[in-house]
Amino acid sequence: MAITQAIANNFKKLLLEGDANFSNSSGDKFKLSLYTSSATLNSSTTSFTTGNEVTSANYSSGGGALVNAPTSLTAGVARADFVDLSFQNVTLTARGALIYNTSSATTNSAVCVLDFGGDKTATSGTFTVQFPAPTSTAAILRISG
């Protein structure tokens, strides 16, 4: 089993069908769920799953709601970004995450898989997922041609 960082194939299709709005003021609602190293997540992941999702007293299944940051376009690269997400007072170990769209016509449709590169742990503390700066080469979601 493995977590492989990728944009979900299904998301690419839904994007071309107009089923994704990342606007920070009126966009779709996205969530991020955390997974153990036993999870299998990759470009073929189509939707949120509870299989091998982390558990903790203060972590709810499905993860946390993301806040859409403003989209941007510079030098032919369009970017979407989210505000960093923190889970407070948790004890958990996560290897990766899934960002999914709760507003999609396809229920809880996968957007992308994040691989943390190793297990990350919080013990009775705060677990924060920090998104990269929304630059043309580092944004969490970017489209260029």
Side-chain angles (χ1 to χ4, degrees), residues 4-142:
T4 304
Q5 186 146 321
I7 301 295
N9 292 333
N10 189 57
F11 170 71
K12 296 171 193 175
K13 179 179 177 290
L14 291 173
L15 188 62
L16 292 177
E17 294 172 355
D19 190 21
N21 179 349
F22 288 90
S23 169
N24 68 321
S25 59
S26 60
D28 290 349
K29 305 299 180 205
F30 298 89
K31 291 185 81 173
L32 180 142
S33 54
L34 299 172
Y35 293 87
T36 70
S37 59
S38 297
T40 299
L41 300 170
N42 53 47
S43 62
S44 295
T45 301
T46 57
S47 62
F48 165 72
T49 178
T50 57
N52 295 302
E53 186 180 13
V54 302
T55 58
S56 178
N58 293 310
Y59 174 89
S60 298
S61 180
L66 290 168
V67 174
N68 300 3
T71 57
S72 58
L73 175 67
T74 305
V77 180
R79 296 174 296 279
D81 191 23
F82 300 103
V83 174
D84 295 348
L85 177 63
S86 294
F87 299 92
Q88 305 292 323
N89 195 29
V90 293
T91 297
L92 58 81
T93 299
R95 169 59 195 222
L98 176 69
I99 296 175
Y100 62 100
N101 187 345
T102 64
S103 303
S104 175
T106 303
T107 305
N108 296 330
S109 179
V111 173
C112 66
V113 174
L114 306 178
D115 178 0
F116 298 155
D119 285 346
K120 305 299 180 189
T121 302
T123 305
S124 297
T126 302
F127 189 99
T128 300
V129 177
Q130 279 187 314
F131 291 99
T135 67
S136 296
T137 59
I140 197 69
L141 290 171
R142 57 192 181 276

